[in-house]
Amino acid sequence: VVLLSVMAFAVIAYFVLSSIGEPTGRGTVEVRDNTSSSSGETAPTVSVREFTVGPRGDYPTLARGLQAIRQSFTLQSADEPRILRVAGGQTYNERIEIDNSGGGYPQHVTIVSEGDAPAVLAPSGDAAVVMLKQVDWLTLEGFRIDAAGKAVAVELHGRLPGTRLSNLQIDGFSATGILCVGVVGSSDGEVEIQGCEFRSASESADA
């Protein structure tokens, strides 16, 4: 087993959900920016929509949770932050696959594993465990990605401004931990890979 450690892959980060307030009702929290404007007025409260996955969550599977986020999209709420909280200490036989080539997926989505132990993604088959394509301002944080039997653990494709992979444990891949295909960010949102740890199944594998 080869241990490869990547602490940072970009220098510009933007994490819109860095400060989340107390719940104000089922599925919604409020974030208040206390910075005053030049006129002395306080910025308005921003609504954050919450979704939960796990034995006691709103949805039993990641697929159902991600589907709910997609179905929550409207043109008026496209930029409204959404957070999918996934119960840690559980193994999910699922992939995270988000292809936004045709549009219609909300921006500013955070998918985070919560709890003392990480949630483990361990799907069957040989496809990458995570595939993101043409997604804006998405954060994936805190998961263990079990890519045993797969050449590639994570695939990133195309324009991904503000996309952030943070504190992931990526194990078992035989060729590449994170494969980037034509990946670009933007002037105000670079692609960031931070604090990820790689354990490959082959000495010749790349992070």
Side-chain angles (χ1 to χ4, degrees), residues 4-154:
L4 304 171
S5 191
V6 172
M7 297 306 297
F9 183 67
V11 296
I12 302 175
Y14 178 67
F15 188 27
V16 297
L17 299 176
S18 59
S19 177
I20 296 181
E22 293 299 317
T24 59
R26 180 176 176 84
T28 304
V29 298
E30 290 183 350
V31 176
R32 182 177 296 278
D33 183 352
N34 292 320
T35 304
S36 297
S37 66
S38 57
S39 63
E41 297 180 354
T42 301
T45 297
V46 178
S47 177
V48 180
R49 302 190 65 173
E50 284 198 345
F51 306 78
T52 58
V53 169
R56 298 182 179 180
D58 300 324
Y59 305 98
T61 65
L62 276 159
R64 292 276 300 278
L66 292 171
Q67 182 183 31
I69 289 177
R70 180 179 287 277
Q71 291 174 341
S72 74
F73 174 85
T74 64
L75 291 177
Q76 293 77 15
S77 69
D79 292 333
E80 182 179 283
R82 293 161 171 83
I83 183 166
L84 180 64
R85 302 184 184 278
V86 181
Q90 307 287 324
T91 297
Y92 300 86
N93 183 21
E94 298 184 76
R95 303 174 66 225
I96 292 178
E97 180 177 358
I98 303 175
D99 183 350
N100 193 39
S101 299
Y105 203 84
Q107 300 182 20
H108 303 302
V109 172
T110 294
I111 306 168
V112 60
S113 169
E114 295 200 326
D116 295 334
V120 180
L121 303 180
S124 57
D126 57 6
V129 180
V130 176
M131 194 287 289
L132 304 177
K133 185 174 184 179
Q134 303 290 104
V135 180
D136 293 0
W137 299 103
L138 184 141
T139 294
L140 181 65
E141 180 175 359
F143 290 84
R144 177 176 167 233
I145 296 174
D146 183 353
K150 299 166 180 56
V152 177
V154 177

